[in-house]
Amino acid sequence: MGRPTQWPSLLLLLLLPGPPPVAGLEDAAFPHLGESLQPLPRACPLRCSCPRVDTVDCDGLDLRVFPDNITRAAQHLSLQNNQLQELPYNELSRLSGLRTLNLHNNLISSEEQSHLQGAPRSP
């Protein structure tokens, strides 16, 4: 006689009948295609950190250009220890809730500080 046949391990899936689906109703607790249970990420400029929704920290990143993607909810913006030469008026005016702006140790001239790039100038 031959050797006994060994059957591969089988996975038994038991499907229990549930209530019939009701048209138009979906299980709200179940994530749907494209959804996630994780909260949406907050917008934060590349390489910067945003430890709170109102704080953007871009300290010491050797930035030469004012970062984009700064949330309008920002109240505290740290841009110290970079290589910034200009401050775009349009970006700063969009951040109407800004309470602190740290620009220490950048390459902004005193004239640039008094006349922000793109700001309307007095005659």
Side-chain angles (χ1 to χ4, degrees):
M1 296 210 180
R3 295 184 334 159
T5 306
Q6 291 191 355
W7 296 93
S9 297
L10 295 177
L11 174 62
L12 179 60
L13 179 61
L14 180 62
L15 296 176
L16 298 175
V22 177
L25 293 181
E26 297 178 355
D27 184 359
F30 188 78
H32 299 285
L33 185 62
E35 291 184 5
S36 170
L37 295 176
Q38 299 297 320
L40 292 175
R42 291 191 311 243
C44 191
L46 186 63
R47 298 176 46 212
C48 298
S49 67
C50 299
R52 297 185 343 205
V53 70
D54 67 344
T55 303
V56 178
D57 185 359
C58 301
D59 179 10
L61 299 176
D62 287 325
L63 298 177
R64 297 180 189 284
V65 177
F66 192 86
D68 60 358
N69 200 30
I70 297 175
T71 176
R72 289 180 186 234
Q75 293 182 14
H76 310 284
L77 176 57
S78 297
L79 292 167
Q80 69 271 16
N81 303 316
N82 284 293
Q83 304 294 319
L84 297 176
Q85 295 180 21
E86 299 175 337
L87 296 175
Y89 174 77
N90 294 347
E91 283 296 315
L92 286 176
S93 64
R94 185 180 69 77
L95 304 174
S96 59
L98 206 56
R99 294 173 56 199
T100 60
L101 173 61
N102 189 338
L103 294 168
H104 289 91
N105 199 22
N106 274 284
L107 303 175
I108 301 168
S109 69
S110 58
E111 182 171 319
E112 183 64 33
Q113 289 178 17
S114 63
H115 299 291
L116 295 175
Q117 174 193 2
R121 296 182 186 209
S122 302

